[in-house]
Structure formats: C-alpha cells, structure tokens
Amino acid sequence: MSIAGKAMKITTKTLQEMKQAGEKITMLTAYDFSMARILDGAGIDVILVGDSASNVMAGNDTTVPITLDQMIYHAQCVVNGVNRALIVCDMPFGSYQGDSRQALNSAIRIMKESGSHAVKLEGGAEVVESIERILTAGIPVMGHLGLTPQSIYKFGTYSVRAREEEEAAKLIEDAKLLEAAGCFAIVLEKIPADLAAKVTAAVNIPTIGIGAGSEVDGQVLVIHDLIGLTHEFNPRFLRRYLNLYDEMTKAVGEYINDVRSQDFPNDEERYS
Ligand code: KIV
C-alpha cells in the first residue's frame, strides 16, 4: 500500500516520506466546512486554506485585502470538516511582512484560533527571518515561490515568473534558503516546468506545483477552478473536472421555473 494510503492522518513527515518514495502529493484549496469534508472524504493529502479566498469567496480582484481574522474564520470552518488531511493556512498580506515578531504572533493566532496544522507564506530571502522565528514556536511552515500573488502591485501581472536567468537563479537560491530555514514544503506557482524540475532536484523537501509542470513532488489547484465555478478563469495550467457554473445556473433556472409554474412543491414535498 502507498504511504498516503496507509496514513490515518497526513503529517509533514508523511509528505517527506512521499517525496522520498516518489509518491505524488495531492493538495487543493478549501475555505468552508462542506467543501473541506468532500475533499477530505475523497482522500486529498493537503488542504490549503488559501488567501485565494479573497478572490473566490469575497470577490476581490487580488489577495491583498483579506485579513488575518477572515483567514482564521475560513480555516476554522475547514478544520471542522477534516479528519485526515494536513491543513495549511495562508498567512495573509500584512500579517508577516512587518517583522519576525509580527509574523510569529500572526502564525500563533492562526494555529490557536483555527486549529490548522501549518502556515504558508510567500517569498524567499526577505521572509527567511520570519520563517525561522515561526519555527521556533514549533509551527510548521510551507514556503511559496514563483508567482506570489500578494506582490501583484510590484509585478503588475499574473504572468509566468522566472523566465529570465537571473530571476530563475534567485528562485533556486530562495528554495535552498527556505529548506535551510526549516520549511517542510514549497509551493512553486506559475514558473517554467524546467525550472520547477531543477528546484525539485535541488531540495530535499517536497515541492508542490501550480502551473509548474509535472516534475514536482505534488500538485495544487484552487478548488473553485477545478470544479468550474470560476468559469471565466482559463489559464493554460488548469484542468477542469466539472463545469459547475453552468450546471448550477441550469439547476437554479429550473427551480425558478418550477416555483413560478407551481410545480414545486408538489404533494409529496409538503407536510400534512
Ligand atoms: O491562495 C492560494 O490558493 C494559493 C495557491 C494558488 C497555491 O496560494
């Protein structure tokens, strides 16, 4: 049986063993109880309470506005729906960039108030001190390199990162720094597949890709993209498994018709 198949609970150690055994790690986002329960029941290894909640739950254009309190709320909801998966909660913009003490306080709030198992934050060398400080409290940290959406106003675009040699070299160095600081895994977002493969070979901790090709240790997608709720978002890396936007629109249309035509509720759908 596979390592993930044997695990009653997925831990950071399980992920490390999976990398060593060449077993792919599966990760998806969730922001609420009902979705988390489905993903956990289906056997997902890691659930990320992503700050993409700012986009797909709140309808903001970027991940910048979401607050620490809001992330903690989403993470609490997810924790209530999960028995087996490792739950990682994003540290939102503004909750860790100030200094390492602020980062530690924010991470402690996430762990204590939500029941998450780990935190994730974006960046390389600039956040290493914060990562080390968070780790002193025994809080596992996942890194995030490549496209880092919290820096959208610095980069001005969500296009592929690290195509230039200089940025690619920095990314490899950053990955090594994150490993040395003690991160248990690194998300690689929207970078050339060859570079993601090099990073994966250069570090001993698992790499989880999104738009980073197949030569990484695992894959992550935003659940709303996978099930087709975000039907206008069509990046090359995305594989849709459902088209829920259209299916739900159809279902709601049928409900409206049934109510208006007095077909719903019928005799079996009422109490005597
Ligand atoms: O917030 C998020 O959903 C993420 C994933 C895209 C990795 O960080």
Side-chain angles (χ1 to χ4, degrees):
M1 203 194 267
S2 67
I3 291 162
K6 270 190 269 172
M8 299 293 286
K9 294 253 182 216
I10 302 291
T11 65
T12 57
K13 189 165 167 276
T14 320
L15 303 186
Q16 184 64 53
E17 287 168 2
M18 288 171 78
K19 172 163 179 136
Q20 274 153 13
E23 205 178 294
K24 295 287 183 191
I25 296 164
T26 61
M27 173 160 136
L28 283 170
T29 66
Y31 320 97
D32 67 86
F33 166 77
S34 304
M35 200 70 88
R37 199 164 57 156
I38 293 172
L39 304 191
D40 193 53
I44 202 79
D45 299 316
V46 185
I47 294 183
L48 172 66
V49 185
D51 59 355
S52 48
S54 180
N55 307 98
V56 298
M57 300 300 286
N60 295 314
D61 286 340
T62 74
T63 57
V64 171
I66 200 160
T67 65
L68 184 57
D69 284 341
Q70 288 166 338
M71 287 305 300
I72 289 170
Y73 167 74
H74 284 297
Q76 283 167 346
C77 299
V78 166
V79 167
N80 289 340
V82 172
N83 286 319
R84 174 181 170 276
L86 181 81
I87 303 168
V88 182
C89 181
D90 258 340
M91 298 187 69
F93 177 70
S95 71
Y96 61 93
Q97 290 90 346
D99 59 35
S100 62
R101 183 181 293 261
Q102 180 209 25
L104 175 61
N105 289 341
S106 301
I108 287 176
R109 275 202 63 202
I110 288 173
M111 300 298 283
K112 228 177 157 69
E113 296 176 38
S114 76
S116 296
H117 307 137
V119 297
K120 171 165 88 58
L121 50 84
E122 295 180 4
E126 15 352 282
V127 292
V128 160
E129 197 186 313
S130 292
I131 290 172
E132 284 168 348
R133 187 83 179 253
I134 294 169
L135 281 159
T136 61
I139 301 172
V141 180
M142 178 180 273
H144 184 152
L145 297 172
L147 175 63
T148 47
Q150 292 178 10
S151 307
I152 180 60
Y153 293 113
K154 177 176 166 193
F155 297 118
T157 161
Y158 288 110
S159 52
V160 178
R161 305 287 331 160
R163 279 204 158 120
E164 308 300 325
E165 217 170 284
E166 199 181 327
E167 194 182 338
K170 179 180 176 338
L171 196 143
I172 295 176
E173 281 318 301
D174 277 345
K176 289 181 185 164
L177 276 178
L178 294 187
E179 177 180 31
C183 283
F184 71 87
I186 306 172
V187 165
L188 299 175
E189 180 164 357
K190 234 175 163 182
I191 61 171
D194 287 354
L195 175 60
K198 276 189 199 151
V199 175
T200 302
V203 295
N204 293 309
I205 54 174
T207 56
I208 317 275
I210 172 164
S214 60
E215 287 178 64
V216 285
D217 300 307
Q219 297 290 334
V220 56
L221 283 177
V222 169
I223 186 66
H224 287 57
D225 298 336
L226 180 150
I227 61 177
L229 278 174
T230 48
H231 74 310
E232 281 157 358
F233 181 63
N234 280 306
R236 182 192 175 101
F237 68 78
L238 176 61
R239 185 179 294 180
R240 283 199 199 293
Y241 290 83
L242 280 175
N243 195 341
L244 268 196
Y245 189 94
D246 289 345
E247 285 185 41
M248 284 186 71
T249 304
K250 185 163 166 280
V252 173
E254 285 171 11
Y255 167 76
I256 292 168
N257 285 340
D258 289 352
V259 171
R260 287 185 179 152
S261 66
Q262 298 185 37
D263 178 71
F264 176 79
N266 62 24
D267 287 351
E268 277 98 64
E269 290 160 337
R270 70 177 196 178
Y271 300 102
S272 50

PDB file of all heavy atoms in Angstrom, residues 22-36:
ATOM      1  N   GLY A  22       8.890   8.915  -4.039  1.00  0.00           N
ATOM      2  CA  GLY A  22       8.454   9.296  -5.386  1.00  0.00           C
ATOM      3  C   GLY A  22       6.948   9.234  -5.557  1.00  0.00           C
ATOM      4  O   GLY A  22       6.445   9.093  -6.676  1.00  0.00           O
ATOM      5  N   GLU A  23       6.234   9.355  -4.427  1.00  0.00           N
ATOM      6  CA  GLU A  23       4.763   9.295  -4.468  1.00  0.00           C
ATOM      7  C   GLU A  23       4.208  10.722  -4.536  1.00  0.00           C
ATOM      8  O   GLU A  23       4.564  11.548  -3.687  1.00  0.00           O
ATOM      9  CB  GLU A  23       4.303   8.631  -3.162  1.00  0.00           C
ATOM     10  CG  GLU A  23       2.981   7.965  -3.207  1.00  0.00           C
ATOM     11  CD  GLU A  23       2.670   7.297  -1.853  1.00  0.00           C
ATOM     12  OE1 GLU A  23       3.371   6.330  -1.477  1.00  0.00           O
ATOM     13  OE2 GLU A  23       1.771   7.767  -1.180  1.00  0.00           O
ATOM     14  N   LYS A  24       3.373  11.005  -5.508  1.00  0.00           N
ATOM     15  CA  LYS A  24       2.888  12.376  -5.713  1.00  0.00           C
ATOM     16  C   LYS A  24       1.941  12.827  -4.598  1.00  0.00           C
ATOM     17  O   LYS A  24       1.095  12.050  -4.132  1.00  0.00           O
ATOM     18  CB  LYS A  24       2.176  12.504  -7.057  1.00  0.00           C
ATOM     19  CG  LYS A  24       3.088  12.290  -8.247  1.00  0.00           C
ATOM     20  CD  LYS A  24       4.043  13.467  -8.469  1.00  0.00           C
ATOM     21  CE  LYS A  24       4.888  13.234  -9.722  1.00  0.00           C
ATOM     22  NZ  LYS A  24       5.985  14.184  -9.861  1.00  0.00           N
ATOM     23  N   ILE A  25       2.097  14.068  -4.211  1.00  0.00           N
ATOM     24  CA  ILE A  25       1.283  14.666  -3.148  1.00  0.00           C
ATOM     25  C   ILE A  25       0.127  15.441  -3.794  1.00  0.00           C
ATOM     26  O   ILE A  25       0.341  16.189  -4.756  1.00  0.00           O
ATOM     27  CB  ILE A  25       2.153  15.627  -2.304  1.00  0.00           C
ATOM     28  CG1 ILE A  25       3.264  14.840  -1.603  1.00  0.00           C
ATOM     29  CG2 ILE A  25       1.308  16.417  -1.314  1.00  0.00           C
ATOM     30  CD1 ILE A  25       4.403  15.715  -1.069  1.00  0.00           C
ATOM     31  N   THR A  26      -1.085  15.260  -3.251  1.00  0.00           N
ATOM     32  CA  THR A  26      -2.248  15.977  -3.796  1.00  0.00           C
ATOM     33  C   THR A  26      -2.675  17.063  -2.812  1.00  0.00           C
ATOM     34  O   THR A  26      -2.773  16.832  -1.613  1.00  0.00           O
ATOM     35  CB  THR A  26      -3.429  15.023  -4.039  1.00  0.00           C
ATOM     36  OG1 THR A  26      -3.820  14.426  -2.791  1.00  0.00           O
ATOM     37  CG2 THR A  26      -3.060  13.932  -5.032  1.00  0.00           C
ATOM     38  N   MET A  27      -2.935  18.243  -3.354  1.00  0.00           N
ATOM     39  CA  MET A  27      -3.334  19.365  -2.498  1.00  0.00           C
ATOM     40  C   MET A  27      -4.384  20.188  -3.242  1.00  0.00           C
ATOM     41  O   MET A  27      -4.305  20.361  -4.466  1.00  0.00           O
ATOM     42  CB  MET A  27      -2.080  20.198  -2.190  1.00  0.00           C
ATOM     43  CG  MET A  27      -2.282  21.491  -1.456  1.00  0.00           C
ATOM     44  SD  MET A  27      -0.695  22.010  -0.691  1.00  0.00           S
ATOM     45  CE  MET A  27      -0.658  23.745  -1.067  1.00  0.00           C
ATOM     46  N   LEU A  28      -5.389  20.646  -2.521  1.00  0.00           N
ATOM     47  CA  LEU A  28      -6.436  21.515  -3.074  1.00  0.00           C
ATOM     48  C   LEU A  28      -6.777  22.569  -2.044  1.00  0.00           C
ATOM     49  O   LEU A  28      -6.550  22.367  -0.844  1.00  0.00           O
ATOM     50  CB  LEU A  28      -7.697  20.700  -3.396  1.00  0.00           C
ATOM     51  CG  LEU A  28      -7.667  19.849  -4.672  1.00  0.00           C
ATOM     52  CD1 LEU A  28      -8.874  18.917  -4.715  1.00  0.00           C
ATOM     53  CD2 LEU A  28      -7.621  20.720  -5.924  1.00  0.00           C
ATOM     54  N   THR A  29      -7.352  23.658  -2.494  1.00  0.00           N
ATOM     55  CA  THR A  29      -7.795  24.667  -1.530  1.00  0.00           C
ATOM     56  C   THR A  29      -9.207  24.343  -1.058  1.00  0.00           C
ATOM     57  O   THR A  29      -9.980  23.670  -1.750  1.00  0.00           O
ATOM     58  CB  THR A  29      -7.829  26.074  -2.152  1.00  0.00           C
ATOM     59  OG1 THR A  29      -8.841  26.111  -3.165  1.00  0.00           O
ATOM     60  CG2 THR A  29      -6.488  26.468  -2.739  1.00  0.00           C
ATOM     61  N   ALA A  30      -9.533  24.831   0.132  1.00  0.00           N
ATOM     62  CA  ALA A  30     -10.924  24.842   0.618  1.00  0.00           C
ATOM     63  C   ALA A  30     -11.020  26.006   1.593  1.00  0.00           C
ATOM     64  O   ALA A  30     -10.013  26.425   2.178  1.00  0.00           O
ATOM     65  CB  ALA A  30     -11.285  23.527   1.295  1.00  0.00           C
ATOM     66  N   TYR A  31     -12.244  26.494   1.730  1.00  0.00           N
ATOM     67  CA  TYR A  31     -12.434  27.684   2.577  1.00  0.00           C
ATOM     68  C   TYR A  31     -13.624  27.509   3.512  1.00  0.00           C
ATOM     69  O   TYR A  31     -13.948  28.414   4.272  1.00  0.00           O
ATOM     70  CB  TYR A  31     -12.664  28.926   1.698  1.00  0.00           C
ATOM     71  CG  TYR A  31     -11.777  28.960   0.478  1.00  0.00           C
ATOM     72  CD1 TYR A  31     -12.228  28.511  -0.759  1.00  0.00           C
ATOM     73  CD2 TYR A  31     -10.454  29.406   0.567  1.00  0.00           C
ATOM     74  CE1 TYR A  31     -11.409  28.513  -1.873  1.00  0.00           C
ATOM     75  CE2 TYR A  31      -9.624  29.411  -0.545  1.00  0.00           C
ATOM     76  CZ  TYR A  31     -10.118  28.960  -1.771  1.00  0.00           C
ATOM     77  OH  TYR A  31      -9.302  28.958  -2.872  1.00  0.00           O
ATOM     78  N   ASP A  32     -14.315  26.370   3.391  1.00  0.00           N
ATOM     79  CA  ASP A  32     -15.513  26.169   4.218  1.00  0.00           C
ATOM     80  C   ASP A  32     -15.665  24.692   4.560  1.00  0.00           C
ATOM     81  O   ASP A  32     -15.039  23.823   3.956  1.00  0.00           O
ATOM     82  CB  ASP A  32     -16.769  26.695   3.495  1.00  0.00           C
ATOM     83  CG  ASP A  32     -17.095  25.878   2.268  1.00  0.00           C
ATOM     84  OD1 ASP A  32     -17.784  24.863   2.410  1.00  0.00           O
ATOM     85  OD2 ASP A  32     -16.620  26.220   1.166  1.00  0.00           O
ATOM     86  N   PHE A  33     -16.558  24.440   5.517  1.00  0.00           N
ATOM     87  CA  PHE A  33     -16.783  23.107   6.066  1.00  0.00           C
ATOM     88  C   PHE A  33     -17.237  22.097   5.000  1.00  0.00           C
ATOM     89  O   PHE A  33     -16.658  21.016   4.875  1.00  0.00           O
ATOM     90  CB  PHE A  33     -17.838  23.214   7.189  1.00  0.00           C
ATOM     91  CG  PHE A  33     -18.415  21.913   7.621  1.00  0.00           C
ATOM     92  CD1 PHE A  33     -17.703  21.060   8.455  1.00  0.00           C
ATOM     93  CD2 PHE A  33     -19.680  21.523   7.199  1.00  0.00           C
ATOM     94  CE1 PHE A  33     -18.228  19.844   8.852  1.00  0.00           C
ATOM     95  CE2 PHE A  33     -20.222  20.316   7.582  1.00  0.00           C
ATOM     96  CZ  PHE A  33     -19.489  19.479   8.414  1.00  0.00           C
ATOM     97  N   SER A  34     -18.256  22.464   4.217  1.00  0.00           N
ATOM     98  CA  SER A  34     -18.841  21.494   3.276  1.00  0.00           C
ATOM     99  C   SER A  34     -17.830  21.052   2.232  1.00  0.00           C
ATOM    100  O   SER A  34     -17.713  19.861   1.915  1.00  0.00           O
ATOM    101  CB  SER A  34     -20.058  22.093   2.565  1.00  0.00           C
ATOM    102  OG  SER A  34     -20.989  22.515   3.513  1.00  0.00           O
ATOM    103  N   MET A  35     -17.091  21.995   1.694  1.00  0.00           N
ATOM    104  CA  MET A  35     -16.092  21.675   0.671  1.00  0.00           C
ATOM    105  C   MET A  35     -14.962  20.843   1.298  1.00  0.00           C
ATOM    106  O   MET A  35     -14.510  19.852   0.718  1.00  0.00           O
ATOM    107  CB  MET A  35     -15.542  22.971   0.083  1.00  0.00           C
ATOM    108  CG  MET A  35     -14.897  22.820  -1.252  1.00  0.00           C
ATOM    109  SD  MET A  35     -16.049  22.451  -2.565  1.00  0.00           S
ATOM    110  CE  MET A  35     -16.539  24.080  -3.087  1.00  0.00           C
ATOM    111  N   ALA A  36     -14.512  21.251   2.477  1.00  0.00           N
ATOM    112  CA  ALA A  36     -13.406  20.543   3.136  1.00  0.00           C
ATOM    113  C   ALA A  36     -13.784  19.089   3.395  1.00  0.00           C
ATOM    114  O   ALA A  36     -12.977  18.173   3.213  1.00  0.00           O
ATOM    115  CB  ALA A  36     -13.041  21.245   4.440  1.00  0.00           C
TER     116      ALA A  36
END
